[in-house]
Amino acid sequence: MRQRPRRNRSTHAIRGAVRETTLGPEHLVLPAFVQEGTANSTPIASMPGHSRLSIDLMVELCGRAADAGIAGVALFPVIPDLDKGPRGLSAIDPENVNLRAVRAIKQALPGFMVICDVALDPYSSDGHDGVLVNGVIDNDETVPLLAAMAVAQAKAGADMVAPSDMMDGRIGAIRDALDLAGYSHVLINSYCAKYASAFYGPFREALDSSPRGGSKKTYQMDPTNRREALRELRLDEAEGADWVMVKPGLPYLDVIRLFREHSSLPVSAYQVSGEYAMLKAAGQNGWIDYDACLLESLTSLRRAGADAIFTYGALEAAALLT
Ligand code: PBG
């Protein structure tokens, strides 16, 4: 036999020399949940290993992530019911828990990247990413609120804003608002192909942010669609996105590859809460080797074409990789 592919797999050194895909802590972003209080940590049942953390504990967690070489944190706030309203206006209150957390993290760890989510759902009494008007999510009522929210986040010190709301035209509006306010250096990671996925369940439990009525299907993408992702890509590129994200991760590897082949922008992937929960649950039952499956799934996202990966397993993966 002339062709023996196994020769390239025969020793550790040979396998290392021909490895096509790399994965390191520098590719990873840790999503984390911040809440009010001091020394206050509340476990999230469906996300073992993750808790809602008060700002002091969040700064500690970010310190550990930075020490592990992780690129940054993606912050998601737990907003008290009293501060939720139909227009989610507490999102722009500089004293909300999210913006206080951004300031505290940047003060303690200036070089660590802080990424803020731009969407109304944690702040909305309806649990939607946009404003409900007569039972419909009103795109053009929502976009200026998102732009104001992004400016407030930039002002607090966020390095990157990440609109996850899927309203039309928001990337351009946010870019203009940031530039006008003097934040032309702040990056936009667009949740470009964000699908209406059932894998977000544990996240919504963590933030108590499930839609109170209806679904998110009038703004998040239909999981059946691939060409439509290309359309979103073209729009977000034209509107000034710096990174384009695909979300969820593993069930959408084909879309990550599509973006890699059609865009010269960095592509990010989000291994979402339900993906993490599946790995954890099977691992805790002894049905799979959690550590190995985590690294394999992250490697697959990189192989598909992702540059940065948002994963709840970032700290565990970083420890395994160093
Ligand atoms: C909301 C938002 C969601 C996630 C990130 N930002 C949930 C949703 O759209 O309902 C999900 C992340 C995860 O499941 O880990 N704007």
Side-chain angles (χ1 to χ4, degrees):
M1 243 193 299
R2 290 177 189 153
Q3 297 292 342
R4 286 188 183 272
R6 287 187 55 195
R7 277 194 288 267
N8 275 331
R9 302 174 200 145
S10 52
T11 72
H12 180 78
I14 292 169
R15 288 193 298 274
V18 300
R19 189 156 290 141
E20 297 177 38
T21 303
T22 58
L23 174 69
E26 70 275 19
H27 300 124
L28 305 179
V29 169
L30 175 68
F33 302 99
V34 65
Q35 68 178 2
E36 293 288 354
T38 308
N40 180 21
S41 155
T42 315
I44 302 160
S46 51
M47 301 181 69
H50 273 267
S51 298
R52 308 169 186 90
L53 300 176
S54 53
I55 292 173
D56 52 329
L57 299 181
M58 180 59 71
V59 172
E60 267 176 46
L61 177 73
C62 290
R64 287 203 297 282
D67 287 346
I70 290 169
V73 67
L75 270 188
F76 296 97
V78 183
I79 301 298
D81 276 344
L82 269 176
D83 296 332
K84 295 191 184 191
R87 297 174 67 79
L89 288 178
S90 58
I92 52 177
D93 176 352
E95 291 309 312
N96 76 32
V97 69
N98 190 55
L99 299 179
R100 277 185 283 131
V102 173
R103 294 196 292 271
I105 298 166
K106 288 307 291 184
Q107 195 180 0
L109 304 159
F112 187 62
M113 178 166 59
V114 174
I115 303 172
C116 282
D117 201 64
V118 183
L120 298 184
D121 51 337
Y123 311 88
S124 154
S125 43
D126 299 308
H128 276 288
D129 294 17
V131 183
L132 264 182
V133 179
N134 301 325
V136 176
I137 301 294
D138 190 318
N139 195 90
D140 300 3
E141 279 288 312
T142 302
V143 168
L145 294 173
L146 299 171
M149 184 176 179
V151 170
Q153 293 167 343
K155 190 171 180 197
D159 299 277
M160 172 181 274
V161 296
S164 68
D165 53 279
M166 291 301 278
M167 296 301 119
D168 294 335
R170 91 278 204 216
I171 299 301
I174 289 171
R175 186 70 271 161
D176 288 349
L178 287 173
D179 291 357
L180 193 68
Y183 301 108
S184 57
H185 55 284
V186 171
L187 288 85
I188 300 178
N189 174 33
S190 174
Y191 285 66
C192 181
K194 175 172 177 180
Y195 287 89
S197 170
F199 286 100
Y200 306 150
F203 173 98
R204 293 179 188 170
E205 183 207 323
L207 293 190
D208 186 25
S209 66
S210 291
R212 306 298 187 252
S215 75
K216 297 194 173 186
K217 289 183 185 169
T218 67
Y219 44 106
Q220 298 179 351
M221 281 178 54
D222 186 327
T224 64
N225 289 358
R226 210 171 74 97
R227 287 193 307 268
E228 190 186 354
L230 275 184
R231 185 180 189 201
E232 290 283 2
L233 175 65
R234 302 262 178 269
L235 292 171
D236 287 356
E237 285 186 323
E239 290 176 36
D242 298 289
W243 295 9
V244 283
M245 176 180 268
V246 176
K247 175 184 179 191
L250 217 51
Y252 296 86
L253 290 179
D254 57 324
V255 183
I256 297 173
R257 169 55 42 184
L258 190 71
F259 275 22
R260 177 69 296 135
E261 284 171 0
H262 285 85
S263 183
S264 53
L265 291 179
V267 175
S268 53
Y270 199 141
Q271 183 177 55
V272 300
S273 57
E275 298 179 69
Y276 175 77
M278 287 196 300
L279 288 170
K280 271 286 165 190
Q284 289 186 342
N285 272 301
W287 295 337
I288 61 170
D289 175 343
Y290 172 79
D291 290 351
C293 289
L294 173 68
L295 290 185
E296 187 176 331
S297 63
L298 296 174
T299 302
S300 300
L301 294 165
R302 293 267 307 149
R303 192 190 63 236
D307 296 296
I309 304 173
F310 289 45
T311 172
Y312 298 95
L315 272 173
E316 294 159 318
L320 292 165
L321 290 167
T322 41

